[in-house]
Amino acid sequence: MDTDCPPAERRWPEPRPAGYDPGAFTPFAVTVDIVLMTVVQRQLKLLLIRRGRPPYEGAWALPGGFVKPDEDLATAAARELLEETGISTTTGSLRQIGSYGDPARDPRMRVVTVAYGAVAVRLEEAPRGGSDAAEAELVPVAEVQSDRLPLAFDHRRIVDDAVDRLRADLETTGVAHSFCPPEFTVRELREVHEAILQTELDSGNFQRKVTGREGYITPTERRAPTGERGGRPATLWRAGRPEDAE
Amino acid sequence: MDTDCPPAERRWPEPRPAGYDPGAFTPFAVTVDIVLMTVVQRQLKLLLIRRGRPPYEGAWALPGGFVKPDEDLATAAARELLEETGISTTTGSLRQIGSYGDPARDPRMRVVTVAYGAVAVRLEEAPRGGSDAAEAELVPVAEVQSDRLPLAFDHRRIVDDAVDRLRADLETTGVAHSFCPPEFTVRELREVHEAILQTELDSGNFQRKVTGREGYITPTERRAPTGERGGRPATLWRAGRPEDAE
DNA sequence: CCAAAAGTGTTCGCAATACACCCATGT
DNA sequence: ACATGGGTGTATTGCGAACACTTTTGG
């Protein structure tokens, strides 16, 4: 969201270096917005918050808010996510998607927002934060991208960019197991890929590819419980190399 | 640079919606910085400007400046580039690299900058803009990345990110011929790739790859003048499909 | 024994690589 | 004739897709 920050009186720090004209620039509001994504039940979903005040009152929007005076952008994103949803992330796991600064993007004032993408491990239900977020919900990305669920501001475009970025990262960096619990089966990992890429993947080829990739995942001694109608029990795997204690 | 914008008096637009507290956010300065890259003499170079005032007076920095009140971010980048270097670009050819908002990145005040990457067609020498840029020069990217040439602010990191992005774009989108004149030989295109990727490419394979790629380049009837020591004259090519008039 | 799911083997086709070779020009 | 650079042919290799097959469990 682009609002909802406690009042803060602040002026530019003194002293200013000589030759600097304080009227030489336009003050902007700078916010961060977070696209928190998770895969649940083979569906890619993202966390939205229902706005409690104008503009776009009652509409769904991304969690976010104003950057504080002495706060890094990524830190602000992690803080806002925690405040509005109760989800804690490390700033390292946040990926900057881009910045959005159309002069008309917020009808109230000139706001530039920096969007961050984040990944959560299988949230089953949307957590409610302690902040002023009226309502939070996990919605399928497909609902947003099909325009069945309109978003406030230019958040639709931010979501598109975040999903594009996620798909690109999926193939290069091994971001997929960030969607999985600490121990997971190859099937779970494959279903994450399938949900994000919107494709069906050959289970055999995926198995080889993912187990063959050096240092990507390592097997444990444990097995996953078998399914209801039988089937060979799957090996449980962990992210990374065995020696890399995490 | 993160400075040098004419004074502008501006207040937030009226009326403000009820419930909005104008003191609820911290005002930031928002700037754009441009990483203008070009390939000249088989070397990837970028345009720098020597700062004429503190901080970092006398240091090399990226061209850039404050975003104006009613200006889009990409528009601001194109304007600053034009003002400081005389080079005109379309906003569509600018690629947003990222935003940089460390609280200490500018000692004067809180500044968030949005960096854009741009590509120029074979600048032989650095153009001098009409603005207050004291001095402009094309320097090899290698000079910057080897720390032989230090930059002001966090511009070194911005350059690294822009170059990384350029390399990634080179293989996916066909940005390479943005470095070439309207008509070019396959050799020129290959030397652009080699300069950016820092590799040697097989000329034969490159020829096939680039000519075989559907809709990428189209041949003209013209031939390039042959070299000093002879050699078969090369076909001149244009970007895109033949039917796509540009 | 049969169904279901995990995991392996086998084949095929494409695309990138390496490099030999032919073509067109200047000296 | 020879050097130089443009452009094509061809063999090899590696990798991903398709899919048959084996293994291990529950009913």
Side-chain angles (χ1 to χ4, degrees), chain B residues 3-243:
Chain B
T3 181
D4 316 327
C5 179
E9 290 300 325
R10 183 167 185 268
R11 288 291 156 258
W12 302 114
E14 301 287 351
R16 302 190 191 99
Y20 167 64
D21 175 4
F25 67 92
T26 311
F28 284 67
V30 174
T31 62
V32 287
D33 288 311
I34 302 101
V35 184
L36 180 80
M37 292 169 283
T38 187
V39 172
V40 49
Q41 309 216 312
R42 303 189 187 188
Q43 265 197 321
L44 180 64
K45 298 191 175 187
L46 69 94
L47 188 70
L48 294 179
I49 283 183
R50 194 184 285 278
R51 287 183 58 81
R53 67 184 66 178
Y56 297 101
E57 184 171 10
W60 293 100
L62 295 171
F66 291 104
V67 179
K68 289 188 171 175
D70 293 305
E71 190 178 46
D72 191 30
L73 298 174
T75 307
R79 175 184 54 74
E80 286 287 347
L81 185 61
L82 181 64
E83 285 180 7
E84 295 199 346
T85 70
I87 298 168
S88 68
T89 50
T90 62
T91 57
S93 67
L94 291 168
R95 290 184 179 265
Q96 195 185 100
I97 303 302
S99 294
Y100 303 81
D102 188 298
R105 66 178 295 277
D106 189 319
R108 294 166 298 180
M109 55 182 170
R110 187 68 202 262
V111 180
V112 170
T113 195
V114 184
Y116 283 85
V119 166
V121 179
R122 284 201 187 183
L123 295 171
E124 288 296 333
E125 55 191 47
R128 285 284 304 277
S131 176
D132 47 9
E135 193 182 347
E137 195 170 332
L138 281 177
V139 307
V141 165
E143 288 288 306
V144 173
Q145 293 193 321
S146 65
D147 286 323
R148 282 193 295 269
L149 199 151
L151 301 188
F153 304 106
D154 51 2
H155 288 185
R156 161 69 194 276
R157 196 179 142 212
I158 296 176
V159 168
D160 286 348
D161 291 347
V163 171
D164 285 349
R165 172 66 176 272
L166 175 63
R167 290 197 177 121
D169 284 350
L170 197 64
E171 300 179 5
T172 54
T173 74
V175 286
H177 47 55
S178 303
F179 289 90
C180 298
E183 296 194 344
F184 51 88
T185 65
V186 171
R187 183 197 188 92
E188 291 179 287
L189 199 60
R190 175 166 52 84
E191 286 176 348
V192 167
H193 280 253
E194 289 174 339
I196 295 172
L197 298 178
Q198 294 279 39
T199 52
E200 294 251 316
L201 298 173
D202 182 281
S203 64
N205 292 334
F206 186 84
Q207 181 97 16
R208 247 192 313 266
K209 184 175 177 179
V210 89
T211 57
R213 188 167 159 182
E214 191 62 30
Y216 186 50
I217 57 174
T218 49
T220 68
E221 297 301 316
R222 308 188 349 104
R223 296 290 133 93
T226 185
E228 295 188 353
R229 292 185 299 264
R232 177 174 169 177
T235 306
L236 285 169
W237 303 74
R238 300 185 146 278
R241 307 183 118 84
E243 60 267 27

Side-chain angles (χ1 to χ4, degrees), chain A residues 106-123:
Chain A
D106 189 319
R108 294 166 298 179
M109 54 181 170
R110 187 68 203 265
V111 180
V112 169
T113 196
V114 184
Y116 282 84
V119 166
V121 179
R122 286 199 182 183
L123 296 172

